[in-house]
Amino acid sequence: AVMLTAVTVDVMNGVLCDHGLEGDSLRPLVDGKCSFSSLSFKTTSYNLKGKPLHLLAVLLVRHESAVPPAHPAYDGVQESLLCVARMLLSPPIRVDARKRQSKSPPTGIGS
C-alpha cells in the first residue's frame, strides 16, 4: 500500500509535521503501481505562515509477526502489521487558496 500526505519540514529539529490531505490517501499497490485522485490540501501556505508543504509518499508492506502469548486467547495467533519500507519527500509546494468555480454558467439580471 502507499500512503500520501502533506507535511511541513522543520529542518532545525529534523521533524515532519503532518497536515493531511482530504480524500482517499491510502491506496493499494498493484503490480508495482498505484494512483490517487480527488485529493486536496487541508490547509494553505498562508495559514502556515508562508511555509511550503511537501507531499510525503510512504510505501507500506505487510509484515507477519507472532503476537506474544501474554494472554491465552492469543496463543498461536498471527498478526499482520503494515510497516514502513520507504518514504519519499517532494520538493516544496506553495499552496494557495482559490475560490471554486461553479460548473454552471453565471446567470445575469435582464438576460
Side-chain angles (χ1 to χ4, degrees):
V2 176
M3 181 182 71
L4 196 61
T5 191
V7 299
T8 52
V9 178
D10 181 349
V11 177
M12 297 298 287
N13 295 311
V15 175
L16 299 177
C17 183
D18 185 16
H19 295 281
L21 293 170
E22 291 181 2
D24 186 8
S25 59
L26 179 64
R27 303 290 301 154
L29 191 64
V30 178
D31 295 328
K33 299 175 186 175
C34 75
S35 62
F36 296 88
S37 62
S38 301
L39 293 177
S40 61
F41 291 97
K42 289 184 176 181
T43 190
T44 64
S45 295
Y46 176 81
N47 292 333
L48 298 169
K49 300 179 182 174
K51 286 185 179 180
L53 287 159
H54 298 259
L55 290 176
L56 177 67
V58 182
L59 175 62
L60 301 166
V61 295
R62 291 215 179 274
H63 178 71
E64 303 293 329
S65 66
V67 175
H71 190 277
Y74 292 113
D75 282 343
V77 173
Q78 293 287 314
E79 184 178 82
S80 180
L81 303 171
L82 286 176
C83 299
V84 175
R86 176 105 175 161
M87 295 191 313
L88 295 171
L89 190 66
S90 77
I93 302 168
R94 301 258 177 221
V95 178
D96 193 14
R98 301 277 182 222
K99 289 185 179 181
R100 294 186 184 214
Q101 296 282 331
S102 173
K103 293 195 185 241
S104 60
T107 58
I109 299 174
S111 298

